[in-house]
Amino acid sequence: MLACGQPARQPRATWQHCGVTAATHSTLFPQGPGGSPHAAPPRGADAVLEGLDPEQRAVATALHGPVCVLAGAGTGKTRAITHRIAYGVLAGILQPSSVLAVTFTNRAAGEMRGRLRQLGAQGVQARTFHSAALRQLQYFWPKAIGGGMPRLVDRKIQLVAEAAATLGTRLDRGELRDVTGEIEWSKVTQTIPAEYAYAAAKAGREAPRDPTEIAHLYAAYEDLKRDRSVIDFEDVLLLTVAILQDRHDIAEQVRAQYQHFVVDEYQDVSPLQQRLLELWLGDRDSLCVVGDASQTIYSFTGATPDHLLDFRARHPGATVVKLVRDYRSTPQVVHLANGLLAQAHGRAADHRLELVSQRAAGPEPVYAEYTDEPAEAEGAARRIRELVDAGVPAAEIAVLFRTNGQSETYEQALADAGVPYQLRGAERFFDRPEVRKAGIALRGAARFGGNDSLLDEAVDLPSQVRAVLSGEGWTTEPPAGSGAVRERWESLAALVNLAHDLAAADPGATLGDFVAELDERANAQHAPTVQGVTLASLHAAKGLEWDVVFLVGIAEGMLPITYARTDEQIEEERRLLYVGVTRARERLHVSWALSRSPGGRPSRRPSRFLDGLRPGTTATVGRTGAGAGGGVERGTPQGPGAVPRRAQRVPARCRVCGRTLTDAGEMKLMRCEDCPSDMDEGLYERLREWRAVQAARSGQPDFCVFTDRTLMAIAEARPETPAELSRIPGVLSRKLRSYGTDVLAICAGHEGAEVDEDD
C-alpha cells in the first residue's frame, strides 16, 4: 500500500491499464470501441477466441493434459495464456479459484491479473513463485511448525556482511554483492554450505573468492539467521518445499485448492522452483508452461532452460504449440534477431524459433562506431534529441547497456541534451521516498480537501493533483541537469500524468478514486509511465518494449563480457543481445566505442555477434538449417504399451494389520498409530544425534534434514540398501543422495559415521 488508510476501491476497468508501461503498448492488447485499449468483457467463451491467430487459438483451447507453449519474442504469449484461462473459465471448464498462474515479477503478475479482469476471469490467482509460496507458508506455519513464522528479511546483503565479520573476513561492496549472489545460487539449486565447493566446480562457476571460504561465509550466514529467527526469500521456497514434502495432509490441502497451473517464463525456472511446482501438482498433469529457451539470460541465478526443453520427455502426451508470428517488431528488426540466433550453438540454439514479422516494413538497423565512450553517449543523446523534437515520445525510447556501470555516462549526456530520462531497475517506483510522501499528501487531501486552501482554485482532478504535488516539489518546468533532484521531479510528474489519464477516461473521477488507483498499483508494483527515455541494463529490459532502442557498448569485452569464457557463457551473452534486439518495435540503433576514454588507445572492436550481420562483415561462425516454425504438435496417445505419464497412486496400507492408511503420519510410518512398533530405540536416538549435526552444518531446522516421523520409520525398517531406504516415505532422491550413505552406515551399526563423514 502507498500509505495507511482505507482499503483501496476496485479501479475502473475501462482505463486502468492505459499507457502503464511500454510493454502494454502493443497490437496484442484487446482493442475496444474507438481504438481504446480496454474492451468490455467478452460476451461468452467463444468471444474470447476472437482475434487470436491459429496458434494462439490452439493454446487457448488446449485445456486438458500438459501443454507446452514455445513462444518467441513479441508473439503474444501473455495474450495466448490469459485467453486460455479466460476461455476455460467462461466455458465452465476451469473454476477461477482453482487456477494458479505463476510468473517471475510482480509487474508481470499484475499485468496478467489486469488482462484476466478485462476478459471476465476474476478470481484467478496470478502470482510470483515467492508470493504464492509465502502465502502458503504463512497459512500453514502454525499447523506444520507451530508458533509464529520468523521475520522475513528483504535485503540479505547486510546479514552477509555481519556473517563475514564474525569470521574476521573483510568484504568490499562488490565482494559482498558477489558472495550474496553465490549464497542465493546455492539455495535455489538446493546446495548446502558443505557441498558448495563441489557444486560450484561442477557447475563451472567462477567463485568471487576461495570456494571453501564462501562455504564458511554461507554457513555463518545461515547460523546468523537462525540465531536471529529470520528467514530470507530463498528460505520461503525451501521451507514451503519441506512442509509439502513431509506433510502429506498439507500437500493434499494445497492440491485440493489448486487444480490447474500455468507457468510463464518457464525457461527461467530454478531447480528449487521446479521442485515446488512438482509438489503443487502431485500426480496430476493439468499444467501449461510457456517459455523461450533463446531468452534464457539468468543462468547465473540458477535458472535453467532444461525443464522447458525436457518437458516433452517428462510428459510424452503433451501438446506443444509454437508461436512465431512476431507482432512487435518490423521485418528489419526481426531479420537481425533471427540472424543472431542462426549463428548460435548449444542446446537452446537447437530449439530456436524462427520469427516471422507481422508488421509493415521499417527502417534498417543503424550501426555506429565512435572513438570513445563519451563520444558514443553524446552521439546517442544527440540522435535521441532529434527524435524527441520530431515527435517521438521520450517514454518510447530506451538506451540499453550490458552493465549498470555504463549508465552514468548516458545520464549526463541526456541531461546535457535536455532530454528527460528514467532509470529502470533502480529503486521500485512506489518505494521511492518522494512517491511515498506524495501518497500521504494526496490521501490527506482526499479526506480533508474541503479545508485545504491549495485546492480552492482546483476545478478538476489533474489540477487538484498538481496543487497537492506542488507542495511536494513538483513544478510546471523540470529542474535543469541530472541527478537526484531531476529524478524526484520525474517521479512526481509521472503521478501528474496519471491523473490526466484518469480524468480523460473518466471525467467524474475524484481525488479519492485517484488515491485508490495508486494503492492498487502499489500492491501490484504497476508503476505509471515516467515521461523520459529509459536507461536500463539488458537484463532489466526483459519483458519490455519500445518504439526506438539504442543498444550501446556492443563491443568485445563488454558483450560478450570479459569474464564470459566457456561456450555456455558466450552463448548466454548472445541470447542477452537477442533480448535487447527484440525490445525494439520500429527503430534500432547499435553502437560501440573503440576506446573507453578520450585519447585512449583504440584497441576495441565490435562484438563478434555482429559479424555477418552488419554491413561489410562476414560471419565467423555459422549454422545450417532454419529454426523451428510455428504450429501445434499433439502428444503421443497414451494407449496400451505406451509409457505412462505418471505412476498411478497405490493406497498405503498398514504393514502390521493391512488397514488402508489415510493419516499423513501413519502413512510415513506405514502402520497404524496403535499398531505395535518394533522400532530400535537406540538406532532412533543415534539418528536424531546425527540429524542435529547435519542441521547445524547446513544452517537448517532439524526437520529440513528428516522429520521425527521419517527417523522413526527408518529405525523401524532398519534398511540395509539404498533401494530399501528410498522406499521409506520422506526419503526422496535428493535426500538419498545427500544423506543415504550416512544413514545406512548408522543403521549398520558403524558408530561415528555420522560425524566422520566429510560432506
Side-chain angles (χ1 to χ4, degrees):
M1 299 289 288
L2 198 61
C4 298
Q6 298 174 347
R9 285 176 42 187
Q10 281 293 337
R12 289 166 169 76
T14 56
W15 73 275
Q16 179 186 357
H17 297 279
C18 183
V20 173
T21 66
T24 64
H25 179 82
S26 169
T27 56
L28 298 173
F29 243 55
Q31 295 294 309
S36 169
H38 306 289
R43 297 175 300 280
D46 289 342
V48 173
L49 303 179
E50 295 175 2
L52 300 181
D53 68 32
E55 292 77 31
Q56 292 170 345
R57 181 180 288 250
V59 174
T61 55
L63 295 173
H64 299 287
V67 178
C68 179
V69 183
L70 301 177
T75 58
K77 66 180 179 65
T78 305
R79 178 176 172 84
I81 59 176
T82 52
H83 280 65
R84 178 182 189 269
I85 295 170
Y87 178 73
V89 169
L90 295 181
I93 299 172
L94 303 177
Q95 291 298 316
S97 61
S98 72
V99 180
L100 178 59
V102 189
T103 188
F104 282 80
T105 67
N106 287 318
R107 183 196 61 79
E111 181 182 346
M112 190 177 292
R113 286 193 294 270
R115 293 198 188 200
L116 289 169
R117 259 198 311 272
Q118 288 178 336
L119 293 169
Q122 294 92 339
V124 172
Q125 292 289 310
R127 299 187 172 278
T128 64
F129 269 102
H130 280 90
S131 172
L134 181 59
R135 282 171 62 91
Q136 293 175 19
L137 191 62
Q138 290 170 330
Y139 183 81
F140 290 113
W141 186 277
K143 180 178 180 180
I145 311 299
M149 198 182 92
R151 179 174 62 87
L152 179 63
V153 293
D154 56 359
R155 284 179 56 82
K156 60 173 68 68
I157 197 164
Q158 181 58 40
L159 276 179
V160 174
E162 294 181 44
T166 64
L167 299 177
T169 302
R170 294 181 61 86
L171 300 174
D172 60 31
R173 180 177 298 182
E175 289 175 319
L176 265 177
R177 184 181 62 249
D178 292 343
V179 169
T180 301
E182 290 303 294
I183 291 174
E184 291 173 346
W185 173 82
S186 299
K187 300 185 80 164
V188 301
T189 56
Q190 303 176 79
T191 301
I192 62 176
E195 296 173 352
Y196 168 78
Y198 170 77
K202 184 178 180 181
R205 295 181 72 83
E206 291 195 15
R209 295 176 75 98
D210 180 82
T212 302
E213 185 178 15
I214 292 179
H216 290 317
L217 286 168
Y218 177 12
Y221 167 76
E222 294 295 319
D223 289 341
L224 192 60
K225 283 200 294 102
R226 186 170 58 250
D227 292 343
R228 296 186 180 179
S229 296
V230 298
I231 60 175
D232 59 29
F233 277 101
E234 288 72 38
D235 290 329
V236 170
L237 299 183
L238 283 164
L239 291 168
T240 305
V241 164
I243 288 174
L244 295 178
Q245 283 181 167
D246 291 341
R247 289 293 299 268
H248 296 287
D249 55 333
I250 293 177
E252 289 304 320
Q253 190 173 342
V254 172
R255 292 166 192 158
Q257 169 69 49
Y258 296 117
Q259 305 289 325
H260 186 86
F261 296 86
V262 177
V263 185
D264 194 11
E265 303 289 0
Y266 194 54
Q267 77 278 353
D268 292 331
V269 166
S270 71
L272 181 57
Q273 290 165 332
Q274 175 65 21
R275 180 58 187 144
L276 178 59
L277 177 62
E278 291 169 353
L279 289 166
W280 282 340
L281 271 170
D283 59 1
R284 301 165 299 175
D285 60 6
S286 187
L287 171 66
C288 174
V289 301
V290 189
D292 179 9
S294 296
Q295 296 187 67
T296 303
I297 58 174
Y298 295 107
S299 66
F300 61 92
T301 67
T304 171
D306 289 346
H307 304 300
L308 175 67
L309 299 177
D310 293 337
F311 191 84
R312 191 68 175 272
R314 295 197 313 276
H315 302 275
T319 296
V320 178
V321 184
K322 297 176 181 177
L323 304 182
V324 298
R325 301 174 198 251
D326 188 322
Y327 297 92
R328 176 189 299 161
S329 305
T330 64
Q332 288 74 17
V333 173
V334 167
H335 177 72
L336 177 57
N338 286 336
L340 278 171
L341 294 189
Q343 299 181 18
H345 292 278
R347 193 175 182 215
D350 291 338
H351 294 80
R352 75 193 191 281
L353 299 168
E354 188 87 8
L355 299 177
V356 181
S357 176
Q358 305 298 297
R359 296 194 56 181
E364 291 289 340
V366 175
Y367 299 90
E369 182 174 278
Y370 295 90
T371 56
D372 51 63
E373 288 183 3
E376 184 182 7
E378 290 167 9
R382 184 168 57 252
R383 180 62 184 132
I384 290 170
R385 178 75 265 175
E386 294 171 356
L387 289 168
V388 172
D389 291 343
V392 178
E396 292 297 345
I397 304 173
V399 178
L400 307 182
F401 33 74
R402 176 61 178 84
T403 68
N404 288 320
Q406 296 168 268
S407 174
E408 185 176 357
T409 304
Y410 290 89
E411 293 177 51
Q412 189 60 55
L414 289 172
D416 292 344
V419 176
Y421 65 87
Q422 60 170 320
L423 294 176
R424 181 85 191 180
E427 186 177 31
R428 295 195 298 187
F429 182 83
F430 290 103
D431 291 339
R432 297 175 186 175
E434 66 270 18
V435 174
R436 296 181 68 85
K437 287 182 63 180
I440 294 171
L442 289 165
R443 188 178 298 281
R447 289 179 179 171
F448 311 112
N451 300 320
D452 192 338
S453 60
L454 277 174
L455 302 181
D456 288 347
E457 304 298 323
V459 296
D460 57 13
L461 177 61
S463 60
Q464 289 176 333
V465 171
R466 289 196 299 268
V468 173
L469 297 186
S470 65
E472 301 299 320
W474 179 81
T475 57
T476 55
E477 294 296 327
S482 60
V485 174
R486 179 60 178 259
E487 289 179 30
R488 286 195 294 271
W489 185 90
E490 296 287 0
S491 297
L492 298 179
L495 298 178
V496 172
N497 292 330
L498 189 60
H500 281 278
D501 289 344
L502 175 53
D506 181 4
T510 67
L511 198 54
D513 293 329
F514 183 68
V515 170
E517 171 63 12
L518 290 181
D519 287 340
E520 180 74 13
R521 286 170 176 266
N523 284 333
Q525 286 300 322
H526 206 187
T529 300
V530 176
Q531 293 303 316
V533 172
T534 299
L535 296 176
S537 71
L538 289 165
H539 284 100
K542 178 76 166 61
L544 303 176
E545 57 188 72
W546 297 268
D547 285 345
V548 186
V549 170
F550 286 77
L551 297 176
V552 299
I554 311 302
E556 285 292 304
M558 192 58 70
L559 196 72
I561 198 76
T562 305
Y563 52 76
R565 297 188 178 92
T566 67
D567 291 342
E568 292 82 1
Q569 291 168 340
I570 294 295
E571 288 306 314
E572 182 148 339
E573 294 288 298
R574 187 193 305 276
R575 294 194 296 270
L576 195 55
L577 180 56
Y578 173 80
V579 167
V581 168
T582 55
R583 300 311 94 195
R585 299 192 196 103
E586 299 172 3
R587 298 174 182 268
L588 184 64
H589 295 253
V590 184
S591 64
W592 58 91
L594 297 178
S595 67
R596 179 174 183 179
S597 54
R601 186 165 61 90
S603 57
R604 293 180 176 176
R605 61 174 293 268
S607 171
R608 72 190 75 173
F609 300 145
L610 300 178
D611 292 346
L613 300 176
R614 61 188 179 93
T617 63
T618 57
T620 54
V621 293
R623 293 175 56 87
T624 58
V632 183
E633 299 174 10
R634 303 295 178 187
T636 304
Q638 298 298 291
V643 178
R645 284 196 295 269
R646 292 182 182 270
Q648 296 298 309
R649 178 177 293 180
V650 178
R653 298 186 183 278
C654 174
R655 55 188 169 82
V656 179
C657 70
R659 182 177 68 85
T660 299
L661 303 175
T662 57
D663 177 76
E666 292 181 342
M667 290 170 66
K668 182 159 286 189
L669 293 175
M670 294 305 292
R671 64 172 175 80
C672 302
E673 189 70 40
D674 53 0
C675 280
S677 168
D678 56 353
M679 183 178 73
D680 184 328
E681 296 285 351
L683 174 57
Y684 177 66
E685 288 305 318
R686 291 196 299 276
L687 288 168
R688 282 173 55 86
E689 293 171 4
W690 165 84
R691 181 183 65 177
V693 173
Q694 295 300 318
R697 288 179 179 174
S698 63
Q700 303 179 81
D702 287 359
F703 75 87
C704 286
V705 179
F706 285 121
T707 63
D708 287 345
R709 290 275 187 176
T710 299
L711 294 187
M712 290 174 65
I714 293 172
E716 289 185 357
R718 294 184 289 278
E720 296 180 355
T721 67
E724 292 176 357
L725 180 59
S726 69
R727 287 195 286 270
I728 296 175
V731 184
L732 302 174
S733 58
R734 182 178 63 84
K735 292 191 177 184
L736 185 65
R737 291 193 303 271
S738 298
Y739 306 127
T741 301
D742 279 7
V743 170
L744 291 173
I746 296 169
C747 290
H750 299 322
E751 298 296 334
E754 67 274 21
V755 294
D756 292 338
E757 184 75 21
D758 182 11
D759 57 359

